[in-house]
Amino acid sequence: MSTSLRIGLLLASIGVFAIIVFCVVKRKVNIKYSIVWILWALLSLLMAVFPETFYFLAHVLGIEMPVNAVFLIMIALLYALTFYVYITITKHNEEIIKLTYEIAALKKRVEELEQNER
């Protein structure tokens, strides 16, 4: 890996990490949702500082090119993130349905109370 590429990757990963931390501090992003992005920045930082690690990882996994090992890891992280988001959306959907039923019951109760007052 060339020196200019390593420096660019190092700067980009530090920049991404700083943006994520800034968003978490300003409460624009929840910490539990930012963990995958922090892992991405740390993995990029690791790759910039120790590119030999990915050569070794690619060799152990039987992958011809180290960049393919990086893609494999990133795709696995994206699958994990997608599954986590799917679980979260499912929970929120169930909560919305429960809240809709509660609102309907409360609305009916208010209408009954208004009719009794007349």
Side-chain angles (χ1 to χ4, degrees):
M1 182 181 297
S2 69
T3 306
S4 61
L5 179 61
R6 287 177 74 174
I7 291 172
L9 188 57
L10 183 67
L11 292 175
S13 60
I14 290 171
V16 168
F17 186 78
I19 289 170
I20 294 166
V21 170
F22 176 77
C23 288
V24 169
V25 168
K26 294 292 182 179
R27 297 193 185 266
K28 293 182 179 182
V29 177
N30 195 335
I31 290 176
K32 65 181 180 180
Y33 298 124
S34 66
I35 290 174
V36 172
W37 299 109
I38 290 172
L39 287 175
W40 167 262
L42 292 177
L43 189 64
S44 298
L45 185 67
L46 179 71
M47 189 170 71
V49 176
F50 304 110
E52 302 84 25
T53 306
F54 289 95
Y55 286 100
F56 175 74
L57 182 64
H59 177 71
V60 169
L61 294 174
I63 299 173
E64 188 173 328
M65 306 264 316
V67 70
N68 293 339
V70 173
F71 286 139
L72 178 67
I73 292 167
M74 291 305 127
I75 289 170
L77 284 174
L78 288 173
Y79 272 120
L81 176 66
T82 303
F83 185 68
Y84 181 74
V85 169
Y86 175 74
I87 290 171
T88 305
I89 289 172
T90 302
K91 286 181 183 178
H92 287 298
N93 252 351
E94 291 172 2
E95 289 177 24
I96 289 170
I97 291 170
K98 287 178 187 176
L99 288 172
T100 304
Y101 288 145
E102 286 181 28
I103 289 172
L106 289 172
K107 185 177 179 182
K108 182 179 178 184
R109 178 75 176 139
V110 167
E111 289 173 356
E112 289 173 357
L113 290 173
E114 286 177 348
Q115 285 180 354
N116 289 341
E117 287 181 4
R118 292 183 192 170

